[in-house]
């Protein structure tokens, strides 16, 4: 049902457009006017890593392709829409830093027709899951790269209120956008601060105070992982034997680790039975064991919150009483290259148990390890809090968009309020 006062419009009736210019690498120079390519786009903006330029005298002839802050760009080539960062049909806004740049091919600038749609409302339409679904029905190409035609794109039908209501809706949603942007900036700052803190604490450049308020001063010792505790490999029960699967024992895979939002594993996507443990190479690990992926995603790690098993892609360390598991976790997270440099393989990287055991790290006393872990855990807690807040804000905005952009929830216009 179309809300009262709204109508259904084709996207092509609301906008005009300008395609990007077909620059070639021979046009590039070290300075001049920047070119915005598809590879310069992020999920919703433009980054400034490895920019390319064309000479000013060439750019002077291409005013029609100039970009301004807030312009809406759409990608016409990319991946399928389930990969949002690189998807075809991705809409972004031009940031202030990219104003005055020139638009490259495979990007198109969408220009709202005055009186039909506002820039802000148009951008919200193009960010809806409904629009991404529509794009997925249009794509043409192979698995690696697909494209869409503008003629098909402009047939997309959108529910449209009048411009006054559009502006009010966009104003409400922009409040959420500001909160999201602020939280993203806080998160990025906290991530950088934690990285710097790890560099200082895990190399001994910064020494903390002990329980008596005295700064730690003991020597750090070069220690192999094999000296930090008992190391056991993971294993996989026979996948064809149903008696081994779906039990009460957690069974960790690299996918579980990469999906983690904290240091500890509380649950896994698959479980095995006690019989599966007894009759396979899987080993039951105690709580606070460190599980390190040594296949494909080498160095990804997690700590067990309860008894657990892992597949064969892991080397697991059960720490001795002289080592703090969280300290070892942070060592591996920060000095990950020590492991990846030793890994080898053509299809995917793999680190042998022997090389894993021989990898060394500088370690202080147990008391200093625990103090370092405590400080870094506090930093992690702050990051987890910000991540939860960001996720909550995005979900809330998405739910609000669903209400406002379909007319299920109507806004009060200023005159009506008055």
């Amino acid at each position: 049902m179309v809300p009262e006062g709204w109508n259904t419009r084709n996207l092509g009736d609301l906008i005009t457009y300008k395609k990007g210019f077909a620059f070639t690498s021979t046009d590039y120079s070290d300075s001049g006017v920047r070119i915005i390519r598809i590879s310069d786009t992020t999920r919703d903006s433009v980054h400034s890593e490895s920019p390319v330029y064309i000479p000013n005298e060439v750019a002077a002839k291409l005013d029609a392709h100039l970009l301004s802050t807030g312009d809406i760009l759409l990608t016409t080539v990319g991946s399928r829409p389930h990969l949002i960062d690189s998807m075809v049909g991705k809409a972004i806004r031009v940031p202030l830093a990219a104003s005055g740049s020139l638009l490259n091919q495979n990007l198109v600038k969408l220009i709202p027709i005055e009186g039909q749609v506002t820039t802000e409302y148009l951008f919200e339409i193009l960010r809806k899951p409904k629009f991404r679904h529509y794009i997925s029905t249009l794509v043409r190409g192979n698995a690696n790269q697909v494209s869409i035609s503008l003629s098909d794109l402009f047939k997309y039908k959108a529910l449209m209120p009048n411009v006054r209501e559009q502006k009010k809706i966009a104003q409400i949603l922009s409040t959420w956008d500001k909160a999201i942007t602020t939280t993203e900036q806080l998160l990025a700052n906290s991530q950088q601060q934690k990285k710097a803190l790890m560099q200082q604490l895990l190399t001994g450049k910064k020494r903390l105070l002990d329980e008596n308020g005295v700064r730690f001063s003991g020597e750090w010792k070069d220690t192999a992982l094999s000296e930090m505790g008992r190391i056991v490999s993971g294993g996989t029960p026979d996948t064809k034997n149903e008696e081994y699967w779906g039990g009460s024992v957690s069974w960790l895979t690299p996918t579980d680790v990469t999906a983690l939002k904290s240091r500890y594993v509380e649950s896994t996507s698959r479980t095995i039975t006690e019989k599966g443990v007894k009759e396979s190479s899987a080993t039951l690990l105690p709580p606070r064991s460190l599980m390190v992926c040594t296949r494909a995603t080498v160095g990804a790690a997690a700590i067990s919150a309860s008894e657990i098993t892992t597949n064969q892609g892991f080397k697991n360390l059960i720490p001795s009483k002289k080592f703090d598991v969280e300290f070892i976790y942070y060592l591996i997270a920060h000095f990950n290259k020590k492991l990846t440099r030793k890994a080898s393989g053509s299809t995917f990287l793999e680190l042998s148990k022997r090389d894993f055991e021989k990898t060394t790290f500088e370690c202080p006393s147990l008391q200093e390890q625990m103090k370092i872990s405590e400080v870094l855990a506090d930093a992690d807690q702050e990051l987890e809090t910000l991540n939860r807040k960001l996720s909550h804000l995005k979900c809330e905005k998405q739910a609000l968009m669903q209400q406002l952009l379909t007319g299920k929830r109507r806004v009060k216009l200023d005159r009506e309020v008055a």
Side-chain angles (χ1 to χ4, degrees):
M1 179 182 294
V2 178
E4 183 181 352
W6 289 39
N7 54 60
T8 302
R9 304 285 301 279
N10 284 347
L11 181 61
D13 296 332
L14 304 173
I15 61 171
T16 58
Y17 66 94
K18 185 64 180 180
K19 290 183 178 180
F21 187 78
F23 295 100
T24 65
S25 57
T26 56
D27 297 319
Y28 298 165
S29 66
D30 295 330
S31 61
V33 178
R34 185 180 175 187
I35 301 169
I36 301 301
R37 305 159 296 173
I38 282 185
S39 58
D40 296 319
T41 63
T42 64
R43 180 171 292 206
D44 54 12
S45 187
V46 174
H47 65 72
S48 297
E49 300 172 13
S50 305
V52 297
Y53 304 87
I54 62 166
N56 291 315
E57 58 270 22
V58 177
K61 304 173 184 177
L62 298 169
D63 285 352
H65 301 277
L66 278 173
L67 298 175
S68 300
T69 304
D71 282 348
I72 297 176
L73 308 183
L74 193 92
T75 60
T76 57
V77 171
S79 60
R80 292 182 182 276
H82 68 283
L83 300 172
I84 297 177
D85 288 340
S86 59
M87 66 171 275
V88 64
K90 175 180 69 175
I92 68 167
R93 299 289 298 273
V94 175
L96 177 62
S99 181
S101 300
L102 291 166
L103 189 63
N104 196 22
Q105 61 185 339
N106 298 327
L107 284 165
V108 60
K109 179 170 74 171
L110 303 185
I111 307 166
I113 296 175
E114 188 173 355
Q116 301 298 321
V117 64
T118 66
T119 301
E120 291 74 17
Y121 195 84
L122 173 62
F123 188 63
E124 297 296 350
I125 290 174
L126 302 177
R127 302 283 286 180
K128 288 183 64 178
K130 178 186 173 185
F131 181 74
R132 287 204 297 270
H133 174 72
Y134 179 75
I135 292 295
S136 70
T137 67
L138 303 180
V139 296
R140 300 290 184 270
N142 56 40
N144 297 321
Q145 181 171 287
V146 294
S147 62
I148 53 174
S149 72
L150 293 181
S151 59
D152 287 337
L153 176 75
F154 294 157
K155 293 176 184 176
Y156 177 72
K157 296 185 181 299
L159 271 175
M160 300 295 298
N162 62 47
V163 171
R164 289 179 64 236
E165 193 167 352
Q166 289 178 35
K167 289 179 179 178
K168 189 68 176 181
I169 291 172
Q171 181 184 350
I172 293 170
L173 294 177
S174 71
T175 302
W176 289 86
D177 284 333
K178 289 175 184 176
I180 289 171
T181 299
T182 299
T183 306
E184 287 175 334
Q185 290 171 343
L186 288 172
L187 181 60
N189 291 339
S190 293
Q191 288 169 335
Q192 286 300 315
Q193 289 169 2
K194 181 198 168 187
K195 186 177 180 180
L197 190 60
M198 289 178 76
Q199 177 62 24
Q200 290 181 315
L201 295 179
L202 296 175
T203 59
K205 291 179 180 178
K206 180 176 182 177
R207 307 295 289 268
L208 300 172
L209 304 180
D210 64 17
E211 298 301 326
N212 299 315
V214 178
R215 196 167 300 280
F216 287 103
S217 59
E219 292 292 326
W220 289 37
K221 180 184 176 183
D222 196 37
T223 310
L225 286 171
S226 60
E227 299 176 73
M228 299 181 193
R230 184 164 65 94
I231 295 175
V232 295
S233 299
T236 302
D238 184 354
T239 55
K240 297 179 181 179
N241 192 327
E242 294 182 0
E243 294 183 342
Y244 293 163
W245 297 93
S248 59
V249 182
S250 294
W251 185 71
L252 190 74
T253 68
T255 303
D256 294 318
V257 174
T258 55
L260 274 180
K261 304 224 183 265
S262 67
R263 305 179 301 285
Y264 284 86
V265 175
E266 301 289 346
S267 62
T268 56
S269 56
R270 297 190 70 181
T271 58
I272 60 177
T273 61
E274 292 183 7
K275 185 176 182 180
V277 177
K278 292 177 181 178
E279 299 181 8
S280 76
S281 56
T283 301
L284 191 63
L285 305 170
R288 293 184 66 80
S289 294
L290 181 66
M291 302 160 292
V292 184
C293 186
T294 52
R295 178 178 292 182
T297 51
V298 174
I303 303 169
S304 60
S306 57
E307 289 188 327
I308 196 170
T309 59
T310 70
N311 76 0
Q312 68 273 23
F314 288 84
K315 301 296 179 286
N316 308 301
L317 191 154
I318 305 170
S320 71
K321 294 181 179 180
K322 294 182 180 180
F323 289 89
D324 178 61
V325 67
E326 291 199 352
F327 178 78
I328 307 172
Y329 167 88
Y330 287 121
L331 279 178
I332 288 176
H334 189 63
F335 298 109
N336 184 270
K337 287 183 179 179
K338 283 198 171 192
L339 298 178
T340 56
R341 279 198 296 260
K342 294 183 177 182
S344 60
S346 54
T347 305
F348 51 78
L349 290 177
E350 185 162 13
L351 181 66
S352 70
K353 183 178 180 182
R354 176 183 172 82
D355 285 336
F356 179 78
E357 291 175 333
K358 291 169 63 177
T359 304
T360 62
F361 299 91
E362 294 286 333
C363 297
S365 65
L366 176 60
Q367 290 72 25
E368 190 169 1
Q369 290 177 35
M370 294 174 69
K371 185 61 69 172
I372 291 171
S373 297
E374 182 182 331
V375 172
L376 294 178
D378 286 344
D380 271 343
Q381 183 62 50
E382 181 182 347
L383 290 173
E384 289 169 16
T385 299
L386 287 171
N387 269 312
R388 284 195 298 271
K389 181 180 179 181
L390 182 60
S391 178
H392 174 74
L393 287 171
K394 288 181 176 180
C395 287
E396 287 290 317
K397 185 201 169 186
Q398 191 65 45
L400 190 59
M401 283 176 64
Q402 178 61 25
Q403 295 286 315
L404 294 177
L405 298 182
T406 58
K408 292 179 181 178
R409 182 174 177 178
R410 302 297 291 270
V411 298
K412 290 185 178 180
L413 301 180
D414 294 339
R415 188 174 62 185
E416 293 171 350
V417 173

